[in-house]
Amino acid sequence: MSWSLSEIEGLARKAARGSGFSWGMAEEAGKAVRWLAGIGLPGPEVLANYLEAYDRTPHAQMRPTDTSQDTWRASGGVICPISAGAALCDLAQNDAPSRDIDIIACAYPLLLLPFVRAAAEDGEQAERLIWQGGEFAFAADVRGAAHTPELALSDARVEHGENAALPLPDCQLRYDLAEGPAERLAAFAARTYAPDTEQSRTSGAGAGLSDND
């Protein structure tokens, strides 16, 4: 089924919120998925995979533990790409010293990609994201390719620089989302319509007693 990008964003936002992300982080997830879909990458499908894989996992376990370091890890072993991406944007917006960052054991690194683009814009410098499933570079334009876009886990490296040899992706205004992934996202979105319980407030991918995002 063909979806508009705004429909994709709305579904992704509600699904992320339904999984336990704060509304602010859910907004970021929706924008990220919309951007990916706009260049033909399977952002909605990857988000559905991520939410299912880490459903009920406390978010505190998946945040980067110390973003002042050049190597980021999470206390639970696997880093949330949305949390890591938001942290990258915070660094760029706060004019933190420029540095390359290795993100160890990033879940579904494709979801990190839109945040690196935003960080490049905020920091006004060329940035690259390299992971086992692909490479993108953000400078005067967007270049890159993902040969394994739905890769579930990989180390990722964010570094300065550009790569003019990478191809230019094709932009599009609509996205063909299959019924299966759409239904999986809708199931998470449906949780936003149910009354909160103590369990739903304190658990879930993106949730937790210390969730201050």
Side-chain angles (χ1 to χ4, degrees):
M1 179 178 175
S2 178
W3 294 61
S4 71
L5 296 184
S6 61
E7 289 172 331
I8 290 288
E9 180 178 355
L11 178 62
R13 179 178 65 248
K14 290 179 181 178
R17 176 56 179 164
S19 78
F21 278 104
S22 68
W23 272 118
M25 293 294 282
E27 290 276 358
E28 295 301 322
K31 292 176 184 177
V33 168
R34 175 180 181 146
W35 185 85
L36 290 168
I39 59 169
L41 290 172
E45 295 88 342
V46 172
L47 180 66
N49 292 343
Y50 171 76
L51 296 181
E52 287 185 342
Y54 297 97
D55 191 24
R56 309 302 182 189
T57 301
H59 195 203
Q61 295 181 7
M62 300 186 71
R63 294 193 188 100
T65 54
D66 187 354
T67 58
S68 68
Q69 301 298 314
D70 294 341
T71 299
W72 291 4
R73 292 183 170 86
S75 62
V78 176
I79 285 184
C80 167
I82 298 167
S83 290
L88 286 169
C89 290
D90 286 344
L91 290 177
Q93 291 169 358
N94 293 331
D95 297 322
S98 300
R99 54 194 169 95
D100 298 339
I101 296 173
D102 290 304
I103 301 173
I104 306 303
C106 182
Y108 294 95
L110 186 76
L111 295 174
L112 184 62
L113 190 58
F115 296 97
V116 178
R117 177 198 63 83
E121 291 184 355
D122 291 340
E124 298 181 346
Q125 60 187 3
E127 298 281 5
R128 297 167 64 193
L129 175 65
I130 304 168
W131 78 104
Q132 190 176 346
E135 177 182 350
F136 275 76
F138 305 97
D141 52 22
V142 176
R143 292 182 176 271
H147 50 78
T148 315
E150 297 190 43
L151 185 67
L153 189 70
S154 173
D155 294 345
R157 181 172 175 82
V158 181
E159 62 182 36
H160 304 305
E162 50 191 288
N163 186 346
L166 292 171
L168 290 166
D170 293 327
C171 296
Q172 57 189 38
L173 298 177
R174 301 190 66 84
Y175 185 81
D176 290 331
L177 180 60
E179 182 177 347
E183 289 179 347
R184 291 157 60 204
L185 289 173
F188 280 103
R191 295 181 182 178
T192 64
Y193 311 135
D196 279 349
T197 65
E198 186 63 23
Q199 181 180 14
S200 69
R201 286 193 295 268
T202 60
S203 65
L209 291 173
S210 61
D211 187 358
N212 295 314
D213 292 324

